[in-house]
Amino acid sequence: MLLLRHAEALKNIEDRHGGAGTGLTNNGLQDCVRIAAFLREVTQGTTPCLFGHRVPQVQMTVNSLAGALDLSPIWDERLHGIDLGLLAGLSRDEASQRYPDSARRLDLWREGRLRIDELALPEGESASHFYDRIKSVIVSWNSLAVQRTIIAVCTRSPLIMFTNIAVMGASFTFAHYRPYDLAAGSITELELASGCLQLKRLNSCDHLDA
């Protein structure tokens, strides 16, 4: 199972998180070509299955890969990022100006000084609901992963949740949840067997330098 963070988007340059999203930068579009070449090589002889969700940066990445790999994408909205409520779509500066208390809490979480289940952003999604949503994706992929190579493109937060589930396994707890720093265009490789995830490779960007 190969999990990709979408290629570089305008929102990354503008330091915006969540919300409606944006299109890719020119660098992001060029990286899609490199990502497709890498995926073509590593999935040779297999039957890949390409997943994504409909936020612009993910959709553009998925469509680029689908065209290059001759795949029909499957759109699954359960893969969308955690809802940041009042902070969704704001840059860090905008968030600090409009909602300083919430912005500070989000920064504390990113720094690893606040648990995700204690984040509690106004109008945002709860950590438990986010976990259940991503866990339901894993369950639905369990039988598929036996026969197909799963390629999924997401924003950063679902990839962090997938990674934490893989690292902690049955002992998953929000107390040990880590806000991994995953680069745009990076690939994280997981293995799914009998409903359990195992981490094989984290945040690999070697294909972008090829």
Side-chain angles (χ1 to χ4, degrees), residues 62-154:
V62 168
N63 286 337
S64 178
L65 299 180
L69 301 173
D70 194 24
L71 297 174
S72 297
I74 300 171
W75 304 107
D76 188 339
E77 297 310 312
R78 293 176 299 173
L79 290 170
H80 70 78
I82 188 170
D83 187 346
L84 297 178
L86 292 177
L87 301 186
L90 301 180
S91 68
R92 287 198 179 190
D93 286 344
E94 291 169 341
S96 295
Q97 291 172 9
R98 298 186 196 180
Y99 309 107
D101 291 341
S102 295
R104 178 59 179 159
R105 294 179 67 80
L106 187 59
D107 284 341
L108 288 173
W109 175 72
R110 290 188 179 118
E111 295 165 5
R113 294 193 286 159
L114 186 70
R115 289 169 40 160
I116 189 174
D117 57 330
E118 297 172 337
L119 190 53
L121 296 176
E123 301 180 17
E125 182 177 14
S126 70
S128 59
H129 185 274
F130 184 40
Y131 169 83
D132 289 342
R133 174 157 61 82
I134 298 304
K135 189 69 175 179
S136 72
V137 174
I138 296 170
V139 171
S140 67
W141 282 350
N142 190 45
S143 58
L144 180 63
V146 176
Q147 303 172 331
R148 308 282 294 273
T149 299
I150 293 174
I151 302 171
V153 183
C154 309

Side-chain angles (χ1 to χ4, degrees), residues 31-43:
D31 281 346
C32 285
V33 176
R34 299 182 180 94
I35 295 169
F38 173 79
L39 293 176
R40 188 182 299 110
E41 180 179 350
V42 299
T43 62

Side-chain angles (χ1 to χ4, degrees), residues 1 135 137-146 148 150 162 165 189-200:
M1 179 190 302
K135 189 69 175 179
V137 174
I138 296 170
V139 171
S140 67
W141 282 350
N142 190 45
S143 58
L144 180 63
V146 176
R148 308 282 294 273
I150 293 174
F162 276 114
I165 291 173
E189 184 177 359
L190 304 176
E191 183 174 350
L192 176 59
S194 301
C196 297
L197 284 180
Q198 289 187 333
L199 178 64
K200 299 185 69 176

